[in-house]
Amino acid sequence: MARIKLGMVGGGNDAFIGGVHRIAARIDDRFELVAGALSSTPEKARASGEALGLPRIYDDFKAMAIREARLKDGIEAVSIVTPNHMHYAAANEFLKRGIHVICDKPLTSTLSDAKKLVKAVEKSDALFVLTHNYTGYPMVRQAREMVAAGEIGTVRVVQVEYPQDWLTVEQDFKQAEWRTDPKRSGAGGSTGDIGTHAHNLACFVTGLTVEALAADLDAFVPGRQVDDNGHVMLRFAGGAKGMLWCSQVAPGNENALRLRVYGDKGGLEWAQEDPNYLWYTPFGEPKRLITRNGAGAGDAAAKMSRIPPGHPEGYLEGFANIYSEAADAIEAHRSGAASDAIYPDIQDGLRGVQFVDACVRSSARNAAWVTL
């Protein structure tokens, strides 16, 4: 099929995640980036668009949405890679014009915006994809498939952590600046930035939803207005219990997302910094190593893999898998066919913002239990 014409909002020259999205969209050659409003500053938007050689460059996302919807060869989908506080306004403009939205996480900076965006998606014929990219890793799909098949039995305990160290001291560059500004990031700092990834990963693999939590959040760096460390106890629907730790002030940790799931028949363990391996331990038996595309890996993992075992796949490929699943869904949407694509959607995004909101509310009440 013809490549899907893609636009981008945000992601200018000095934006890390914009470059990641562009690479992810190109890896499987399913998208063609043809338009962009790459910055809130018109001069920077034009310079960034020219540097990428975009055919159509816009000063703002609303003008882009209006014109692209009218063009015969206008964009079919848009990637939104702005700071969190802009997600709702940008996504809404494209959704109401029938343009599919692929949005970076978290869904929005506030719960009220998240709820409004849910309504916008319900009113639109367009698809909404949220790029919780870790759900695209082959061995995460393997773990999800094994849990669903009952290979570890009934899930009892879920342990997930996501420590980093890059905000251990005050930082003044762009990526740190907006992520520690509650007006742009939202009320949650580490909880919103990486805690939402940990929460989403735990729910994606187990198929469970969090019903209640008790959170102890801290801003250890003097003067910081949002949390940079969070300890959260979780109660899942069905009775499973969990613990989540997210921190951006943990020296020695670069991007140490890790998930452990324990059922009454066995356990699973996966670490993002060593993503091609999944440890599986049936109760009472030796620990087993399942490798990406290796012996024991199933169909769900194989669908996400591109190369033979032993050749590492990681961050960019996992991100690309979300774009590939989005492409499958968009192509099915064109013809009105059913799609079996798996990707985080608007409801996953809402649950993520509810998680952050609940953490902030709980911590303000001395880590009291609150419902989501």
Side-chain angles (χ1 to χ4, degrees), residues 112-363:
S112 61
D113 276 354
K115 291 177 179 178
K116 287 190 291 184
L117 192 50
V118 170
K119 292 181 179 179
V121 172
E122 291 172 348
K123 291 179 182 178
S124 176
D125 184 49
L127 301 173
F128 186 93
V129 178
L130 191 69
T131 55
H132 273 299
N133 56 297
Y134 300 111
T135 65
Y137 280 67
M139 302 318 289
V140 167
R141 296 294 177 99
Q142 174 72 23
R144 173 186 168 98
E145 185 177 56
M146 293 175 70
V147 171
E151 293 191 44
I152 66 167
T154 300
V155 175
R156 292 172 167 173
V157 178
V158 182
Q159 302 280 103
V160 62
E161 61 183 53
Y162 199 160
Q164 299 174 333
D165 66 3
W166 69 292
L167 292 178
T168 296
V169 298
E170 190 63 47
Q171 303 282 4
D172 60 2
F173 60 93
K174 179 181 177 180
Q175 297 303 319
E177 182 186 7
W178 78 257
R179 282 179 170 82
T180 55
D181 176 5
K183 293 180 181 178
R184 289 178 285 176
S185 69
S190 65
T191 47
D193 192 25
I194 56 177
T196 50
H197 270 312
H199 165 263
N200 175 262
L201 182 66
C203 296
F204 181 80
V205 169
T206 64
L208 303 175
T209 56
V210 176
E211 287 189 332
L213 59 78
D216 184 18
L217 309 183
D218 287 285
F220 282 113
V221 174
R224 185 163 286 165
Q225 299 180 67
V226 293
D227 63 86
D228 49 31
N229 189 87
H231 296 96
V232 189
M233 291 192 294
L234 307 171
R235 291 175 180 167
F236 292 91
K241 300 295 180 68
M243 293 179 64
L244 183 153
W245 172 45
C246 57
S247 181
Q248 292 175 313
V249 292
N253 289 281
E254 295 173 333
N255 206 63
L257 175 60
R258 182 184 182 190
L259 174 69
R260 289 169 288 175
V261 182
Y262 303 105
D264 60 356
K265 295 181 181 178
L268 295 168
E269 182 175 343
W270 179 81
Q272 192 277 152
E273 292 183 335
D274 205 6
N276 291 272
Y277 304 105
L278 176 69
W279 287 101
Y280 167 46
T281 308
F283 177 64
E285 298 182 24
K287 200 171 187 178
R288 304 173 185 176
L289 179 63
I290 303 173
T291 63
R292 187 201 53 77
N293 244 349
D299 293 340
K303 183 183 178 185
M304 298 291 104
S305 300
R306 295 173 178 78
I307 52 179
H311 300 280
E313 289 188 16
Y315 182 77
L316 293 173
E317 293 88 349
F319 223 115
N321 284 334
I322 302 300
Y323 268 85
S324 185
E325 296 279 75
D328 286 345
I330 291 169
E331 288 172 357
H333 187 274
R334 285 174 179 170
S335 61
S339 172
D340 61 356
I342 298 172
Y343 54 81
D345 61 15
I346 188 68
Q347 292 299 325
D348 295 302
L350 175 61
R351 284 189 284 270
V353 180
Q354 289 172 329
F355 164 78
V356 176
D357 176 77
C359 285
V360 172
R361 287 189 288 116
S362 171
S363 189

Side-chain angles (χ1 to χ4, degrees), residues 102-117:
I102 302 170
C103 184
D104 203 46
K105 47 57 55 188
L107 182 65
T108 56
S109 60
T110 68
L111 184 54
S112 61
D113 276 354
K115 291 177 179 178
K116 287 190 291 184
L117 192 50

Side-chain angles (χ1 to χ4, degrees), residues 33-34 48-57:
L33 185 64
V34 297
S48 297
E50 289 167 3
L52 291 172
L54 295 186
R56 299 188 292 276
I57 305 168

